[in-house]
Amino acid sequence: MKTNLSVRYRIPMLMAGFISLMCGMYIGLARLGWQLPISSAAQFALHGPLMVCGFLGTVICLERAVAIGERWAYLAPLASACAALLLITDAAPGAGAALAVIASAILVMVSIRIFLRQRELFTFTLLLAALCWGLGCVLWICGFNPAQVMPWWMGFLVITIVGERLELSRFLRPSLGSKLLFILALVLYFAGAIAASASAVPDFRLLAASLILMTVWLMRNDIVRHTIKQQGLTRYIAAALICGYAWLLAAGIIGISLPQLHAGSSYDAFSHAIFLGFVFSMIFGHAPIIFPAISKLKIPYHPSFYLPLLLLQASLLLRLSGDFLYAANLRKAGGVLHAVTIILFILVLAASVIRNKNKSM
């Protein structure tokens, strides 16, 4: 029996996720060198947790809870939203980290439930992604350094997205060889993540190779090859996906070429090519579908959606130029443009909602 939670209870969790996003961006700008007030030096380390666990974790957990349609599943986004608020306020950071672990554990249980309902490769892939989040949270709470935690949180996001694209690829009926290639990419990713997190000075070559393999698989098997030829929202989503795949490939090339990533340069380029370039391109593309499912607010397509998508690519090119040229000012400018782009995207979506409401009056 379906016992889905009412929208009025979902919205506060979604809002907590967006507050986490804003605070994560603020701390990110401070980390880049902008003179912004920070209550304590410990908050500099919260940029990644707020973005991955607070914002993306909450949104993914909400999406999964809506899909399964059972109230207990909403304990996952509730836990991640509360974790974000505890981390932001600095009231009980240890409790916030523990709640992130709990949120990931509940998401694993939700993913197991979904897999048992539909025993397919894509549901198993989504389960693996949830396990990545959980393992990353455990490593984080145990005091591992960010470079050791990052492969698992990266896996949570990358494998979730790739798993969802795998689901859609069923319409093209991928061959057995294609599925085996996908499985090989997953195995390589986990092997690379284990190798990276097991060392105090991680080597990302194996993990980077898996990202290249995933990109090849996506470009050969994703329906984006067909949807880019259509119009409106469908074409916009396809354009966002192609941008994301380009950044995933770029990250793979960076990791292969410069396996010992250096803080402030190649590490920054590698991680943000994935977390911003790949992940946020996907968010920009899928937001008009995901957020209406959570909030029940219609977000009709408008050509203005392309503006923040293009600015996101420009901001990343600026930041990565600063990384490889060791130009701090370019990196700082890219960081500001990231924040402006994300805020602009939120405003563009809000304008779409308002236009739709005005039309229906």
Side-chain angles (χ1 to χ4, degrees), residues 18 21 25 51-52 55-56 157 161 236 240 244 247 272-287 308-309 312-313 316 338 341-342 345-346:
F18 276 101
L21 169 65
M25 290 193 299
M51 297 297 284
V52 176
F55 172 56
L56 294 164
L157 302 174
I161 293 167
Y236 164 74
W247 286 114
H272 285 86
I274 294 172
F275 287 115
L276 267 171
F278 178 64
V279 173
F280 270 83
S281 290
M282 295 296 168
I283 291 172
F284 281 18
H286 290 102
L309 179 63
L312 178 65
Q313 317 312 312
L316 276 158
H338 298 333
T341 298
I342 292 170
F345 182 67
I346 294 170

Side-chain angles (χ1 to χ4, degrees), residues 24 27-28 30-31 38 40-51 87 140 144-146 149 153:
I27 294 172
R31 284 166 59 98
I38 296 289
S40 67
Q43 286 201 318
F44 283 106
L46 295 181
H47 171 63
L50 287 175
M51 297 297 284
L87 292 171
W140 172 42
F144 282 71
N145 69 54
V149 175
W153 282 352

Side-chain angles (χ1 to χ4, degrees), residues 168-235:
L168 293 175
S169 76
R170 293 182 302 160
F171 295 110
L172 299 180
R173 297 183 179 179
S175 64
L176 176 60
S178 173
K179 290 181 179 179
L180 290 175
L181 182 65
F182 181 84
I183 293 168
L184 175 61
L186 288 179
V187 171
L188 279 177
Y189 188 92
F190 277 91
I194 291 168
S197 61
S199 172
V201 184
D203 185 322
F204 289 92
R205 276 177 294 192
L206 194 56
L207 189 149
S210 75
L211 298 179
I212 293 173
L213 198 57
M214 284 183 191
T215 308
V216 171
W217 185 90
L218 286 164
M219 293 307 295
R220 288 187 59 187
N221 296 279
D222 200 315
I223 60 172
V224 69
R225 292 181 297 150
H226 303 278
T227 55
I228 193 64
K229 300 172 185 176
Q230 299 183 24
Q231 300 296 322
L233 178 62
T234 305
R235 186 170 190 170

Side-chain angles (χ1 to χ4, degrees), residues 137-179:
C137 288
V138 169
L139 293 177
W140 172 42
I141 206 170
C142 289
F144 282 71
N145 69 54
Q148 293 171 301
V149 175
M150 184 262 286
W152 300 104
W153 282 352
M154 184 183 292
F156 167 47
L157 302 174
V158 170
I159 296 172
T160 293
I161 293 167
V162 174
E164 290 174 346
R165 301 312 301 173
L166 175 64
E167 178 183 7
L168 293 175
S169 76
R170 293 182 302 160
F171 295 110
L172 299 180
R173 297 183 179 179
S175 64
L176 176 60
S178 173
K179 290 181 179 179

Side-chain angles (χ1 to χ4, degrees), residues 69-148:
E70 298 179 10
R71 291 188 178 183
W72 68 270
Y74 287 91
L75 291 172
L78 178 62
S80 60
C82 291
L85 295 177
L86 286 174
L87 292 171
I88 291 165
T89 58
D90 207 20
L99 280 172
V101 173
I102 291 169
S104 65
I106 297 170
L107 182 63
V108 169
M109 291 189 284
V110 171
S111 301
I112 290 171
R113 184 67 175 268
I114 292 172
F115 174 68
L116 292 176
R117 284 184 181 179
Q118 191 175 5
R119 301 189 185 197
E120 298 282 351
L121 180 57
F122 78 88
T123 55
F124 181 69
T125 302
L126 295 176
L127 171 56
L128 291 178
L131 287 168
C132 282
W133 185 27
L135 184 52
C137 288
V138 169
L139 293 177
W140 172 42
I141 206 170
C142 289
F144 282 71
N145 69 54
Q148 293 171 301

